[in-house]
Amino acid sequence: MAWESVNRLSSGAHSRYSSWTTPGAGARAALRPGDDLVYKVVRTSRLYEQIVQQIEESILTGTLKTGDQLPAERDLAQRFGVSRTAVREAVKALREKGLVEAYSGRGTFITDGTSQAVRQSLDLMVKIGQPEGSQYLAELRAILEPEIAALAAARAQESDMATMREAVAVMDRAGRDPEPYIEADLDFHLSLAEAAANPLILSLIDSIVGLLREQRMRIFKVEGGPERGQFHHKRILEAIEQRDPEKARDAMRAHLDQVREDSQVSSSKLSAGKVSAKIGPLSSRHTS
């Protein structure tokens, strides 16, 4: 069955899916190379929500039907004009709503919504705004990511390293612009997990992307934070390119130490600001 044009998504802009042919009964083919699939480029601080909205509208209007397969993650990221992490978050949200189902090695498919499996998200279990939540996240990363970097140094394909290089280049270009920097930062760490070539590791890191984004948003404005982060990212990439697991492990540990220190600075400033806000009105009353 061919896919028809989707409804207008915003004033003056249209988004459409191209024809996807059905290879056989009960299944639909993924987008073929050369097919023209156009989405509106989204520009908002909550990028993944805009992606979810566009796909939801296609489902609700019947343009996307049960059994239709979504394009690959890289393809969707390119067509929406966003990072792969934003696409991952969108697919995760769609899965939680029971609108799509992802199958390892096969792809992501539109479902009928009746077989929704409610997935317990770490985002709901760990409150990143609380000191305990930050500590738990730091401990989890310290356990996982140095060994992920070591595995990546041994197993990374050239395509993995190309993705890491691109993420580092985007962060260099972003400078003090938080949105592109943070999304590229997330892409870099997800690329390491992909390079480790272990689907369980990738699932674990993918499950904390939302927490990592919140953490980065909090520490981005710490003086010199992005620059220090980039120093460590480049050291990690260098170790991966040199196929040196021990160097990659040590570089990641140093990076996580830097993130932990910046998080403490950010938390201290936040706490100081809350205290000032509380005592400010009282001081005014005493001096009046």
Side-chain angles (χ1 to χ4, degrees), residues 15 73 78 125 153:
S15 175
E73 177 183 295
Q78 181 180 5
M125 298 169 63

Side-chain angles (χ1 to χ4, degrees), residues 145-243:
E145 294 201 66
E147 296 308 314
I148 289 173
L151 286 174
R155 300 176 179 177
Q157 302 295 316
E158 180 54 39
S159 59
D160 297 317
M161 289 187 278
T163 301
M164 294 177 208
R165 294 186 193 108
E166 175 59 22
V168 169
V170 171
M171 284 185 276
D172 273 339
R173 293 193 298 268
R176 300 296 302 181
D177 187 354
E179 186 175 323
Y181 184 100
I182 290 170
E183 293 302 317
D185 191 346
L186 293 170
D187 274 350
F188 180 81
H189 286 268
L190 278 171
S191 296
L192 285 169
E194 289 180 334
N198 182 322
L200 295 180
I201 287 175
L202 181 58
S203 294
L204 284 171
I205 296 300
D206 198 33
S207 71
I208 63 171
V209 162
L211 293 172
L212 294 178
R213 179 180 285 108
E214 291 299 321
Q215 181 188 61
R216 282 159 171 76
M217 289 173 65
R218 289 179 180 276
I219 69 176
F220 187 81
K221 292 184 179 180
V222 172
E223 185 65 30
E227 291 78 12
R228 286 191 295 275
Q230 271 297 73
F231 170 78
H232 291 293
H233 291 145
K234 290 175 181 178
R235 284 189 62 206
I236 294 167
L237 177 57
E238 178 182 318
I240 301 297
E241 292 174 329
Q242 293 174 356
R243 302 290 184 180

Side-chain angles (χ1 to χ4, degrees), residues 8-267:
R8 184 167 61 86
L9 300 175
S10 64
S11 58
H14 290 74
S15 175
R16 63 186 178 81
Y17 293 92
S18 62
S19 297
W20 291 7
T21 58
T22 304
R28 296 178 186 273
L31 186 72
R32 298 189 304 269
D35 282 350
D36 182 21
L37 176 61
V38 180
Y39 285 106
K40 174 189 174 185
V41 174
V42 294
R43 302 187 185 282
T44 175
S45 58
R46 304 292 295 274
L47 296 174
Y48 78 93
E49 292 182 345
Q50 295 298 308
I51 300 171
V52 169
Q53 180 182 2
Q54 292 192 45
I55 294 177
E56 277 186 333
E57 288 182 4
S58 297
I59 294 171
L60 292 173
T61 59
T63 302
L64 284 174
K65 296 179 173 60
T66 300
D68 283 336
Q69 183 179 1
L70 293 180
E73 177 183 295
R74 290 177 184 273
D75 191 18
L76 278 176
Q78 181 180 5
R79 294 171 188 277
F80 278 113
V82 299
S83 71
R84 291 165 59 208
T85 53
V87 171
R88 284 174 181 264
E89 287 289 277
V91 171
K92 179 181 176 182
L94 290 165
R95 287 173 63 192
E96 290 173 346
K97 292 184 177 186
L99 296 177
V100 303
E101 193 65 59
Y103 300 95
S104 179
R106 292 177 53 199
T108 302
F109 298 83
I110 305 300
T111 68
D112 61 5
T114 60
S115 61
Q116 177 179 6
V118 179
R119 291 167 173 82
Q120 185 73 41
S121 171
L122 288 176
D123 301 56
L124 301 178
M125 298 169 63
V126 180
K127 302 300 184 182
I128 193 64
Q130 300 176 1
E132 295 84 356
S134 296
Q135 179 183 342
Y136 297 154
L137 181 60
E139 290 176 354
L140 178 63
R141 296 188 68 189
I143 292 169
L144 292 177
E145 294 201 66
E147 296 308 314
I148 289 173
L151 286 174
R155 300 176 179 177
Q157 302 295 316
E158 180 54 39
S159 59
D160 297 317
M161 289 187 278
T163 301
M164 294 177 208
R165 294 186 193 108
E166 175 59 22
V168 169
V170 171
M171 284 185 276
D172 273 339
R173 293 193 298 268
R176 300 296 302 181
D177 187 354
E179 186 175 323
Y181 184 100
I182 290 170
E183 293 302 317
D185 191 346
L186 293 170
D187 274 350
F188 180 81
H189 286 268
L190 278 171
S191 296
L192 285 169
E194 289 180 334
N198 182 322
L200 295 180
I201 287 175
L202 181 58
S203 294
L204 284 171
I205 296 300
D206 198 33
S207 71
I208 63 171
V209 162
L211 293 172
L212 294 178
R213 179 180 285 108
E214 291 299 321
Q215 181 188 61
R216 282 159 171 76
M217 289 173 65
R218 289 179 180 276
I219 69 176
F220 187 81
K221 292 184 179 180
V222 172
E223 185 65 30
E227 291 78 12
R228 286 191 295 275
Q230 271 297 73
F231 170 78
H232 291 293
H233 291 145
K234 290 175 181 178
R235 284 189 62 206
I236 294 167
L237 177 57
E238 178 182 318
I240 301 297
E241 292 174 329
Q242 293 174 356
R243 302 290 184 180
D244 189 332
E246 190 59 37
K247 184 176 179 180
R249 184 184 290 114
D250 290 343
M252 180 59 78
R253 284 173 178 158
H255 177 39
L256 295 178
D257 286 343
Q258 169 253 319
V259 171
R260 187 180 300 109
E261 291 171 3
D262 285 350
S263 294
Q264 291 171 349
V265 172
S266 176
S267 296

